[in-house]
Amino acid sequence: MTRPAATRIRGLAARIDAATPPHRDRTVDALRALAIAGVILGHWLVTALVLSTSKTGSALHDASPLASLPALTPVSWIFQTLAIFFLVGGYAAARSYTGDYLGWLRTRLARLSRPMAVLAAVWVPLATGLRIAGVSWATEGTLLRLVLDPLWFLGVYAGLMALTPLAMAMVRRLGACAACVPAAVVAAVDLVRFGLGGPAWLGWINVAAGWLVPYLLGIAWARGAFRGWRIPALMLAGGAAVTAALVAWAGYPASMVGVNGAAISNLNPPTLAAVTFGIAQAGLALLLREPLARWMRRPLAWAAVATANLSAMTLYLWHQTAFLAVTMAGLAIGRLPGLLTAPTSALWVAERLAWLPAFAAVLAVLWVVFHRAERRPVRDAVGRWQPVSAVRRAVWRPDER
């Protein structure tokens, strides 16, 4: 990096730092950025597209190194960060909700729907083009599944936002222990499903109940709970211990993400192990508040985190498209190691790590093209709509988290 470029970057970081309200809790933004990074890197590391040939022709199918290399299971413990998303989401909802339910919900849902509409505007004609070009149903289905799978999170998040007044009422009445209610629901559903041979469809109750647990913990955090270190430390130790017991003695999978061919997934739908693991993650996040707060006092670090939060939806929605763009470009060359080869050895892991900068570079290009969909225009003094500047967007008011 040249000296003038470095100077400009430091200058922009200093302006963002100076424009940030002193009362803003930058730790929340840092946790959201880390969660985004965890999801993106996790998907890029455990998703492989493999080209197979049969009598009906060639097709791409997705494979996971976690299926063939179980020693990589701890990777899922590091990069499965969805509980942090919901923890921060609950915090942000509690801080921003002022009582105008419909107006508040409309504003927050608009911030989700605009980037999703742009994604659909690109992928609907692209999928049509693939069909016209004669791409097999199997390949097209694999590609669309990878692009659309992340959207389930947004549906659940929107549902929990709609329940925010009820969730806040639960926390006002029960404090952080409100999270025990949906946790008990998850435990009861798992008992019926796995212990009593109940129908598998009951597990979908856990989609709402399971992710409501960290959402309620986030609301409790916003209302002043977890001021010391003891309760977060208990959450971390207790959640980790219960998760380990469920894996060791109750038959739950050790992987915290779905694995191709596995009989049970901890995420689809969430199990009690996913919930207790999320409680441990929430405890760790709360314990990291002070170190993160110190880190966020550095202008460059804060500018990077603010930028990631500025474009959180863009990064989340388009990271699989970046992965597919690189993979499709590689397909034109051949079966490149770590890109279109089966993830069956430790060598594949090293090869995949080497591809991460390429995925990141394409995602950066997609960010440049599509991040404006997340900008919310404002009215100027004479009532004309104006786009929000980059620096101002980087430091939302507390009610815009």
Side-chain angles (χ1 to χ4, degrees):
M1 183 182 298
T2 62
R3 187 178 297 274
T7 301
R8 287 196 298 272
I9 290 174
R10 284 195 294 270
L12 176 61
R15 292 197 300 275
I16 293 174
D17 182 65
T20 304
H23 57 271
R24 184 172 183 86
D25 189 345
R26 303 184 185 191
T27 304
V28 177
D29 301 289
L31 288 172
R32 186 186 290 111
L34 289 173
I36 293 169
V39 169
I40 292 174
L41 290 175
H43 282 162
W44 287 350
L45 287 172
V46 303
T47 304
L49 284 179
V50 180
L51 184 64
S52 59
T53 304
S54 64
K55 293 181 180 180
T56 58
S58 298
L60 287 172
H61 68 273
D62 59 310
S64 171
L66 297 175
S68 53
L69 301 169
L72 294 179
T73 295
V75 171
S76 70
W77 307 342
I78 299 171
F79 294 109
Q80 200 283 81
T81 54
L82 289 172
I84 304 302
F85 269 119
F86 287 107
L87 175 77
V88 172
Y91 180 98
R95 287 288 302 273
S96 63
Y97 184 66
T98 57
D100 177 15
Y101 175 68
L102 291 180
W104 174 84
L105 186 62
R106 189 184 305 113
T107 298
R108 296 184 74 81
L109 290 180
R111 288 170 54 188
L112 298 180
S113 61
R114 285 193 299 266
M116 288 176 62
V118 173
L119 182 74
V122 172
W123 268 100
V124 167
L126 185 56
T128 304
L130 292 173
R131 186 90 298 273
I132 294 173
V135 174
S136 68
W137 283 110
T139 294
E140 185 169 2
T142 297
L143 301 181
L144 292 178
R145 185 168 60 253
L146 290 176
V147 172
L148 298 177
D149 268 356
L151 299 186
W152 74 262
F153 162 81
L154 300 177
V156 176
Y157 186 50
L160 293 182
M161 282 196 297
L163 294 175
T164 294
L166 175 62
M168 293 181 67
M170 289 176 63
V171 173
R172 281 194 298 268
R173 184 174 182 84
L174 301 174
C177 289
C180 296
V181 176
V185 172
V186 174
V189 168
D190 278 12
L191 176 62
V192 174
R193 289 172 64 204
F194 304 134
L196 304 178
W201 60 262
L202 278 177
W204 296 108
I205 296 173
N206 289 352
V207 173
W211 299 121
L212 183 58
V213 172
Y215 195 79
L216 288 169
L217 292 175
I219 292 174
W221 176 18
R223 290 180 56 82
F226 315 121
R227 293 186 184 277
W229 61 269
R230 290 181 176 82
I231 294 179
L234 182 61
M235 290 166 59
L236 173 59
V242 173
T243 304
L246 290 171
V247 170
W249 297 305
Y252 285 83
S255 173
M256 288 299 130
V257 299
V259 178
N260 295 10
I264 300 174
S265 167
N266 275 322
L267 277 188
N268 190 30
T271 64
L272 182 60
V275 171
T276 56
F277 181 77
I279 292 172
Q281 283 184 310
L284 178 60
L286 293 168
L287 288 173
L288 290 176
R289 284 174 293 182
E290 287 302 319
L292 285 175
R294 290 193 295 270
W295 182 43
M296 287 298 96
R297 285 195 285 269
R298 301 178 180 181
L300 283 174
W302 168 238
V305 164
T307 302
N309 278 272
L310 219 177
S311 309
M313 280 288 293
T314 301
L315 296 172
Y316 182 78
L317 290 176
W318 290 95
H319 74 277
Q320 289 291 59
T321 301
F323 163 72
L324 291 176
V326 174
T327 303
M328 293 301 100
L331 185 61
I333 300 173
R335 298 193 184 207
L336 296 177
L339 195 63
L340 288 156
T341 52
T344 56
S345 68
L347 178 60
W348 182 92
V349 177
E351 293 166 346
R352 173 49 61 92
L353 289 172
W355 282 105
L356 295 184
F359 301 154
V362 175
L363 181 57
V365 173
L366 293 172
W367 175 84
V368 170
V369 175
F370 296 114
H371 78 279
R372 291 175 180 83
E374 290 193 67
R375 293 187 179 183
R376 189 183 74 176
V378 297
R379 291 185 185 274
D380 62 16
V382 295
R384 295 173 301 188
W385 287 104
Q386 300 289 341
V388 180
S389 69
V391 172
R392 185 176 173 186
R393 281 285 300 172
V395 283
W396 305 294
R397 297 189 305 272
D399 63 332
E400 293 181 313
R401 280 189 182 276

